[in-house]
Structure formats: C-alpha cells, structure tokens
Amino acid sequence: MLKFVKFAELPVIDQDRALSFYTEKLGLRVAQDAPYKEGWRWIELAIPGAETRILLTARQGEVKSDTPRLVIISDDVDAAYRKLSANGVVFTKEPSNAPWNSGQRFAQLRDSEGNGIVISTS
C-alpha cells in the first residue's frame, strides 16, 4: 500500500547557496528545478540510489537549532567525514560512537543555511 516518502522539506533562506552546498559539497544531484512561485523555485535534490528526495523550502526567519533537520545514512561515516571535509564541509562534531547505540557512528555538520545535518551509520 504505502511505498516510500517522496520528499522531506528542508528550510533554506537562499536556494542558490543551498543548491551549491548540497550538489558541490555533499554530492547530491538535482532531481527537479522548476519555477514555482514568484522569487522561488521547486527544487528537489536526490541522493544517488535513494527514493526519498529533499525539497528546498523557504525558511521563515533565522531559526538555528541543535536538533538535526536531516539525517543521512552512510556506509562509512569516517570515510564520508574525510571526503566531505576535503570538499570544504565544516563539521560541528567529528565522527564518534553514538551514545544511544554503541554500534552506530555519527558526525554532525551545519549546511550553508544553518540547518543541523547528521551523517550516520544505520
């Protein structure tokens, strides 16, 4: 019956800046970029091989939080950390073992828009 989540919304202030961050630094691809409403585009980003996409929506205000807006699964958090760091991504927490699950590794970063992002093993 239910199959998968089509997209999750990620609030951004500057779509072009966010698009550059997610495509050039994280390696996501543009699945759709179309006119939407005045001053805004409908931009869906995809992680190669994943069905769920990320929709860049308009952020209302400058709200920053330590609560992650997005958790991206990686086979190897340490390798992802090294590669993304080499791409210019600044992490707020280096890879470490998750206190909530001893077999899980994670690292944290902020995107170009101030959103908290976690890279984690499943």
Side-chain angles (χ1 to χ4, degrees):
M1 184 171 164
L2 300 178
K3 294 170 67 174
F4 61 91
V5 175
K6 180 176 180 183
F7 60 78
E9 293 184 0
L10 187 65
V12 302
I13 296 167
D14 183 322
Q15 282 187 307
D16 289 326
R17 182 176 59 200
L19 186 60
S20 176
F21 178 86
Y22 281 96
T23 57
E24 295 172 17
K25 295 190 182 222
L26 293 191
L28 277 60
R29 67 174 180 76
V30 177
Q32 184 173 354
D33 186 347
Y36 179 52
K37 56 185 175 181
E38 189 172 331
W40 206 255
R41 301 178 341 247
W42 185 273
I43 300 175
E44 289 182 29
L45 301 174
I47 297 171
E51 290 189 53
T52 302
R53 297 175 178 177
I54 299 165
L55 176 66
L56 301 181
T57 60
R59 170 176 274 163
Q60 305 300 317
E62 285 284 332
V63 178
K64 283 190 179 180
S65 170
D66 288 331
T67 303
R69 293 294 235 152
L70 187 63
V71 178
I72 301 173
I73 301 300
S74 172
D75 291 334
D76 186 337
V77 170
D78 295 274
Y81 172 81
R82 288 189 297 273
K83 180 178 181 180
L84 296 177
S85 293
N87 285 351
V89 174
V90 177
F91 282 79
T92 57
K93 181 162 182 55
E94 294 183 0
S96 60
N97 292 327
W100 59 86
N101 182 341
S102 61
Q104 189 174 2
R105 302 259 311 148
F106 78 105
Q108 289 179 269
L109 62 109
R110 284 209 185 275
D111 70 6
S112 62
E113 308 306 293
N115 293 307
I117 308 296
V118 170
I119 308 292
S120 175
T121 54
S122 52

